[in-house]
Amino acid sequence: MVERWDEEDEQRRIRSRPRTNGELFAVERPLLRSLPDEPFETGRLFSRRVDRHSQISVRTNRYSAPVRLIGRMVRVVSAYSLACRGRYG
């Protein structure tokens, strides 16, 4: 099913562009690099201190953290979800 969608998308034109998606990708493909061997973070990294209410603030939002981390610095990864990755400092 996904393969069929890919084939259909290759024939699709975006608005009034003179080439199809497949033709545009054929031009771009030789310029692409392979993915690195090591995994990498795709989110944004923040360092935050867990406050006395066991919360961290990221941008305009507050999130709860484990009570044992109160007063400590934590590394926060924000992508589609938020993850508190250990402690340091």
Side-chain angles (χ1 to χ4, degrees), residues 41-53:
E41 287 293 348
T42 57
R44 297 196 58 188
L45 301 176
F46 300 93
S47 294
R48 296 291 186 261
R49 184 173 304 280
V50 179
D51 69 17
R52 64 187 176 134
H53 302 290

Side-chain angles (χ1 to χ4, degrees), residues 13-82:
R13 289 181 198 275
I14 298 175
R15 296 191 183 101
S16 60
R17 292 184 182 176
R19 296 182 181 172
T20 65
N21 287 346
E23 292 168 336
L24 292 169
F25 182 66
V27 172
E28 185 178 352
R29 185 178 201 146
L31 305 174
L32 298 176
R33 296 182 188 176
S34 60
L35 292 173
D37 293 331
E38 303 89 29
F40 58 94
E41 287 293 348
T42 57
R44 297 196 58 188
L45 301 176
F46 300 93
S47 294
R48 296 291 186 261
R49 184 173 304 280
V50 179
D51 69 17
R52 64 187 176 134
H53 302 290
S54 188
Q55 295 179 334
I56 56 173
S57 179
V58 177
R59 297 191 176 177
T60 60
N61 301 307
R62 300 186 67 71
Y63 300 93
S64 61
V67 174
R68 70 180 184 281
L69 298 179
I70 290 175
R72 299 190 183 249
M73 292 294 292
V74 294
R75 181 177 162 204
V76 180
V77 179
S78 174
Y80 293 111
S81 60
L82 192 84

